[in-house]
Amino acid sequence: MEVKVFERVHPREYFNLFSEKGIRPDGRSLTGSRKTAVRVGSIRTALGSAMVKCGSTTMLCGTTAKVINPTGAKVEFAPIDVNVELLPLCSAKYRPGRKPEESYHLQELVAQHVRRLVQPSSLELEFEDMMWSLSLDIYCLEDDGNMDDATLLVAMAALKDTRLPEILSSEEGYHVTKSRTRTVDFRELIVPVSFGVVDSRVVVDPDSSEEALCESKVTIFVDEKGSFRGLSKSGGSVTSKDLLSTCSKLAVQRAPALFSQLSN
Amino acid sequence: MGLREFDYGPLVSVEGGSEETIRERKRQWNELRPLFMRTRMVSQAAGSSYIEAENSKVICSVSGPLALTGGRTEAIERAKISCYISRTKFCGLEDAELEKRATTEYEGILCRALESIVRVEQYPKSTIEVHVLVIEDDGSTLPAAITCACLALADAKIELRELMACCSVAYANGQLLLDPTLGEAEKAKSPRFCPLQQARRGYLSLRCPILC
């Protein structure tokens, strides 16, 4: 039987032929990640922009901002709205019409993450009751697996690249300066590292064909000092503590490469 | 930045108002902007392409031919071409209403243009989907989308009669301007032309006026 036909008809057996020997169909080891690149500032019509390519998975993010009157008590988390669009452009999985469920999952994931990481004080204005509210618009240009990591990285990179104008007060009201120098400050940076579990073997940075075979997905969050900061595993098969600690160790190894990409 | 300033909401206004002098056009009236075109941008799609003309960026991906679903009875002997144009929220166009109206019209223009070059009779009972995303808009994005779609169809190995390229022209201050930017097109008070030209056979369609 031809190789391509075998891959289509028996994807799990095809993958196992490789993983038994400790490698994957695209040539990586089980713990190897795809080349990840972060580029910022390519879109001049956005206040900040970034593009992340993780292998073939490509995410694009642009930020816009509005001045708002926050109601109520002191703002605990930074006011950032997130919109993730998974258009049919990026994969045959998504059809035109209703927004796919994955986009809501990614929106929530990014919103929870960045609202805690960004310092709300960096968005506050010296005029009473006014504050910057940011909007992140994330578009997937290609979905080849592991969108969680790519989406979180692109959101953080775009926020780091965002430059806001200053606001001046005069008798006509408030107006903004043409030059934009104000940055968005982070409390700290935390990166995600995602894993797939296929037949009880952990694979780092699964691509779309591997994601389809995963029985569960685990994401570990690591900070710049290399400490474990969080874990996310929703559903899937039962995993042992050993497997989760293996994931932690691998995540701590992978994190420095992601931080160096973010800081460039 | 062209005419359109960033919009920071109703509480603040932009310093000095929103009028901005258009930068002097650095190229000749009949010169195109520097172009970058590439196919195979999206490896998951059947075919894809990307066009960048200085600050206008358009990406297109094609899926198909796919099987037609539903009990459709019309046009079974020919493929149905469906076009979807989306814009990013930060592409540079602010007026949401204008965007919505223009997008539906543009999708129709794109469909009709592609129907004349795709050999639709070779793909009975199927549909070809063309998805365009305008990443950044600095004028002439409809012509870029049409050229991009044609490249993506070729990349998807869909049979075409020939290749098609498209360009727009604005008429401002008694002067024709080829491939106008957003600022130049805004300034053009007279009707704008958008000729579509096939590789060898001549003009495919001309539209005047058009919102480009």
Side-chain angles (χ1 to χ4, degrees):
Chain A
M1 199 193 260
E2 254 202 45
V3 175
K4 277 213 158 79
V5 175
F6 182 70
E7 186 190 350
R8 270 293 185 91
V9 176
H10 301 290
R12 194 170 285 277
E13 285 77 11
Y14 180 78
F15 183 76
N16 282 338
L17 285 176
F18 292 88
S19 65
E20 277 160 10
K21 304 209 167 44
I23 54 169
R24 288 140 89 170
D26 61 1
R28 289 185 279 163
S29 68
L30 296 182
T31 56
S33 320
R34 293 172 288 184
K35 179 159 172 266
T36 307
V38 176
R39 287 227 166 84
V40 294
S42 46
I43 301 189
R44 292 163 65 242
T45 47
L47 294 175
S49 63
M51 189 165 102
V52 167
K53 268 186 91 90
C54 190
S56 294
T57 300
T58 311
M59 305 295 291
L60 175 71
C61 176
T63 52
T64 48
K66 274 189 157 45
V67 177
I68 56 163
N69 286 128
T71 52
K74 186 162 171 13
V75 172
E76 198 190 332
F77 296 125
I80 303 181
D81 290 321
V82 181
N83 182 37
V84 175
E85 291 282 353
L86 296 175
L87 300 165
L89 173 107
C90 65
S91 168
K93 287 189 282 201
Y94 311 117
R95 305 307 308 137
R98 224 175 55 168
K99 225 166 148 172
E101 190 201 309
E102 286 89 348
S103 68
Y104 293 109
H105 158 74
L106 289 170
Q107 273 170 204
E108 263 314 297
L109 185 71
V110 174
Q112 301 277 0
H113 194 82
V114 297
R115 280 184 195 146
R116 281 172 174 76
L117 292 188
V118 171
Q119 299 252 25
S121 57
S122 70
L123 297 177
E124 274 161 17
L125 295 165
E126 52 275 10
F127 308 109
E128 56 180 83
D129 228 32
M130 280 168 86
M131 151 164 228
W132 283 111
S133 155
L134 299 176
S135 283
L136 290 176
D137 286 280
I138 303 177
Y139 294 85
C140 180
L141 297 182
E142 186 172 353
D143 174 14
D144 192 22
N146 201 8
M147 277 204 293
D148 291 23
D149 282 8
T151 314
L152 284 166
L153 287 172
V154 83
M156 289 192 286
L159 285 169
K160 281 190 83 184
D161 181 57
T162 303
R163 298 286 179 270
L164 299 168
E166 297 300 334
I167 300 206
L168 308 166
S169 161
S170 67
E171 55 277 346
E172 289 107 29
Y174 301 100
H175 56 257
V176 298
T177 55
K178 282 243 163 33
S179 66
R180 300 183 282 128
T181 49
R182 188 184 174 134
T183 54
V184 176
D185 299 322
F186 279 80
R187 283 193 178 112
E188 56 182 336
L189 285 177
I190 295 182
V191 294
V193 182
S194 290
F195 303 86
V197 180
V198 185
D199 292 334
S200 311
R201 289 196 190 93
V202 171
V203 293
V204 180
D205 189 15
D207 66 23
S208 54
S209 57
E210 291 161 1
E211 261 186 357
L213 302 172
C214 279
E215 56 224 24
S216 44
K217 256 198 101 176
V218 179
T219 304
I220 308 273
F221 295 91
V222 182
D223 69 11
E224 279 178 288
K225 298 195 194 77
S227 315
F228 169 91
R229 294 299 294 270
L231 180 150
S232 165
K233 178 188 178 316
S234 326
S237 63
V238 175
T239 49
S240 62
K241 254 198 319 195
D242 292 332
L243 192 136
L244 293 176
S245 66
T246 312
C247 290
S248 281
K249 291 197 189 75
L250 291 169
V252 172
Q253 282 169 9
R254 163 109 171 106
L258 296 175
F259 279 115
S260 71
Q261 281 290 324
L262 272 182
S263 57
N264 285 354
Chain B
M1 265 306 283
L3 268 184
R4 291 187 164 80
E5 292 291 339
F6 293 113
D7 175 25
Y8 301 108
L11 296 177
V12 294
S13 61
V14 180
E15 183 183 50
S18 56
E19 272 307 306
E20 193 188 84
T21 52
I22 311 298
R23 268 174 284 153
E24 280 299 318
R25 184 180 166 115
K26 289 202 180 73
R27 48 196 165 111
Q28 297 295 317
W29 71 270
N30 57 355
E31 208 179 311
L32 294 175
R33 284 177 282 186
L35 271 177
F36 172 78
M37 293 189 202
R38 223 186 88 182
T39 53
R40 283 274 108 205
M41 282 299 295
V42 178
S43 52
Q44 298 269 306
S48 57
S49 60
Y50 173 70
I51 283 189
E52 195 176 308
E54 210 161 33
N55 294 324
S56 281
K57 300 176 170 80
V58 177
I59 188 170
C60 173
S61 97
V62 163
S63 357
L66 305 167
L68 255 185
T69 50
R72 261 167 264 241
T73 49
E74 87 287 342
I76 304 186
E77 285 96 36
R78 306 158 78 238
K80 179 175 184 304
I81 301 183
S82 311
C83 299
Y84 303 92
I85 300 182
S86 328
R87 288 173 194 273
T88 58
K89 186 151 165 270
F90 41 82
C91 67
L93 294 187
E94 292 293 350
D95 191 357
E97 187 50 50
L98 173 66
E99 254 184 64
K100 191 163 149 233
R101 269 185 285 136
T103 303
T104 324
E105 188 192 343
Y106 286 9
E107 284 173 3
I109 296 172
L110 180 59
C111 267
R112 281 192 291 279
L114 295 179
E115 267 162 20
S116 56
I117 60 158
V118 174
R119 286 188 198 272
V120 286
E121 61 281 354
Q122 301 281 7
Y123 303 99
K125 298 194 192 113
S126 49
T127 172
I128 296 171
E129 285 183 3
V130 177
H131 300 279
V132 176
L133 176 66
V134 176
I135 297 173
E136 202 179 330
D137 191 335
D138 192 23
S140 303
T141 45
L142 175 60
I146 293 173
T147 316
C148 209
C150 171
L151 279 175
L153 286 168
D155 186 43
K157 300 189 184 63
I158 289 177
E159 291 192 31
L160 303 174
R161 291 200 178 84
E162 49 206 305
L163 293 176
M164 174 171 63
C166 179
C167 193
S168 60
V169 169
Y171 184 63
N173 297 334
Q175 170 77 70
L176 283 176
L177 297 172
L178 192 69
D179 192 19
T181 62
L182 200 66
E184 288 163 0
E186 294 269 307
K187 262 213 151 170
K189 293 190 174 51
S190 302
R192 292 180 282 272
F193 304 81
C194 182
L196 286 104
Q197 194 168 356
Q198 284 180 300
R200 282 174 303 249
R201 290 212 307 219
Y203 297 105
L204 181 59
S205 59
L206 283 168
R207 282 196 49 120
C208 152
I210 196 174
L211 313 153
C212 262

